[in-house]
C-alpha cells in the first residue's frame, strides 16, 4: 500500500511513479523492431486509489495478474473489484481511480471502459470526499523512455462525463487533451467511440 495522501492527485502521481518503475512495466514504442519481445516480457500492474473514513486517500497493494490475448497483443491486468483494508469496514471505502499501466502507452481499451462502468455500477460513479464530489475513473499510465521509465503521462476515462483524456508531463508541467468521447446505447449494452481533439477545460476528477 501507498499513503495516506491528502489529495487524490498526490495518490495518483505516487502510484504512477511506483507502477512505471516496476520490472517490465514499459515496453517502449509498438513500432520498435524488438516490440514483440518487449511485449512478451512486459507486465501490467494495477491498483485502486480509494478514500478512507479518515478523509485520506490510499493506493492499494499492486497486483500483476493478467489475462493475455497474444493474437491481438493485449494484456489485461486483473484488478479485484474490492479493496481489503482491515482498518475499515468494507462499505466505508470509496473508490476513486482504477489504475494500471499500458506497456506500449496505448489508449484505453474497450475492456478498460467496460470494466470501470461495471465498477461504477457496484461502487457508485461519484464519491463525496473532503474535496467535494470526486468522479470515478480508470487510468492507464505510460512511460516514453524504455531505458529510464518514468511517469510521463496517462490516459483517463470518466464515465460520468464520457470523456477520454490524455495527460502528459513535460518538464514537470502537465497538459491535458480530450482524445475521445464514449456514448453508450440506451440499454447500456454497447458503446461507440468518437475521436476528438480538444483541450481539457477543467481538471478531470
Amino acid at each position: 500500500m501507498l499513503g495516506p495522501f491528502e489529495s487524490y492527485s498526490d495518490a495518483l502521481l505516487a502510484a504512477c511513479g511506483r507502477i512505471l518503475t516496476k520490472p517490465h512495466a514499459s515496453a517502449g514504442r509498438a513500432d520498435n523492431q524488438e516490440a514483440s519481445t518487449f511485449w512478451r516480457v512486459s507486465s501490467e500492474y494495477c491498483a485502486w486509489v480509494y478514500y478512507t473514513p479518515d478523509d485520506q486517500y490510499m493506493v492499494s497493494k499492486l497486483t500483476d495478474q493478467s489475462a493475455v490475448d497474444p493474437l491481438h497483443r493485449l494484456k489485461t491486468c486483473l484488478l479485484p473489484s474490492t479493496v481489503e483494508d482491515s482498518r475499515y469496514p468494507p462499505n466505508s471505502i470509496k473508490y476513486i481511480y482504477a489504475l494500471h499501466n499500458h506497456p506500449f502507452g496505448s489508449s484505453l481499451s474497450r475492456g478498460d471502459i467496460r470494466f470501470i462502468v461495471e465498477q461504477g455500477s457496484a461502487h457508485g460513479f461519484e464519491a463525496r470526499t473532503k474535496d467535494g464530489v470526486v468522479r470515478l475513473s480508470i487510468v492507464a499510465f505510460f512511460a516514453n523512455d524504455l531505458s529510464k521509465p518514468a511517469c510521463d503521462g496517462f490516459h483517463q476515462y470518466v464515465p460520468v462525463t464520457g470523456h477520454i483524456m490524455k495527460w502528459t508531463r513535460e518538464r514537470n508541467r502537465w497538459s491535458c487533451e480530450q482524445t475521445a468521447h464514449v456514448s453508450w446505447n440506451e440499454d447500456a449494452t454497447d458503446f461507440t467511440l468518437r475521436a476528438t481533439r480538444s483541450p481539457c477545460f477543467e481538471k478531470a476528477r
Side-chain angles (χ1 to χ4, degrees):
M1 289 185 180
L2 288 176
F5 299 95
E6 288 293 331
S7 70
Y8 53 83
S9 58
D10 286 347
L12 176 71
L13 295 180
C16 186
R18 172 66 65 88
I19 287 175
L20 289 174
T21 54
K22 296 291 287 183
H24 309 298
S26 178
R29 292 174 55 90
D31 58 2
N32 186 292
Q33 63 180 358
E34 296 183 86
S36 293
T37 300
F38 292 151
W39 181 81
R40 282 197 301 271
V41 301
S42 67
S43 296
E44 278 201 13
Y45 301 87
C46 48
W48 280 105
V49 170
Y50 60 99
Y51 187 71
T52 73
D54 297 331
D55 293 329
Q56 301 288 319
Y57 298 89
M58 294 288 300
V59 179
S60 71
K61 293 179 180 177
L62 300 183
T63 177
D64 62 354
Q65 299 300 305
S66 296
V68 180
D69 179 356
L71 180 63
H72 298 97
R73 199 184 283 178
L74 292 174
K75 292 184 179 181
T76 303
C77 190
L78 301 177
L79 179 63
S81 181
T82 57
V83 169
E84 292 186 8
D85 190 329
S86 60
R87 298 170 300 175
Y88 310 108
N91 62 2
S92 70
I93 290 173
K94 298 180 180 180
Y95 294 80
I96 308 298
Y97 293 121
L99 309 175
H100 64 305
N101 60 298
H102 277 183
F104 282 134
S106 55
S107 188
L108 294 163
S109 68
R110 295 183 70 87
D112 291 333
I113 292 168
R114 289 187 181 279
F115 173 81
I116 198 61
V117 170
E118 291 170 359
Q119 299 310 303
S121 297
H123 302 302
F125 290 96
E126 296 181 321
R128 186 165 297 281
T129 73
K130 65 180 180 180
D131 302 301
V133 174
V134 180
R135 296 165 178 167
L136 179 75
S137 64
I138 188 166
V139 165
F141 300 126
F142 62 84
N144 295 326
D145 187 347
L146 178 59
S147 63
K148 296 180 180 179
C151 182
D152 292 314
F154 55 91
H155 302 275
Q156 180 182 23
Y157 169 53
V158 184
V160 168
T161 65
H163 294 158
I164 295 179
M165 294 158 287
K166 182 178 182 180
W167 293 81
T168 54
R169 180 168 64 177
E170 293 184 13
R171 298 178 182 178
N172 289 323
R173 295 190 65 180
W174 286 91
S175 61
C176 178
E177 180 182 50
Q178 184 180 322
T179 57
H181 188 271
V182 179
S183 297
W184 289 83
N185 60 14
E186 288 186 4
D187 56 3
T189 57
D190 200 6
F191 61 88
T192 57
L193 285 170
R194 177 175 57 87
T196 62
R197 193 177 181 87
S198 59
C200 302
F201 294 107
E202 62 176 6
K203 187 176 181 180
R205 298 192 302 174

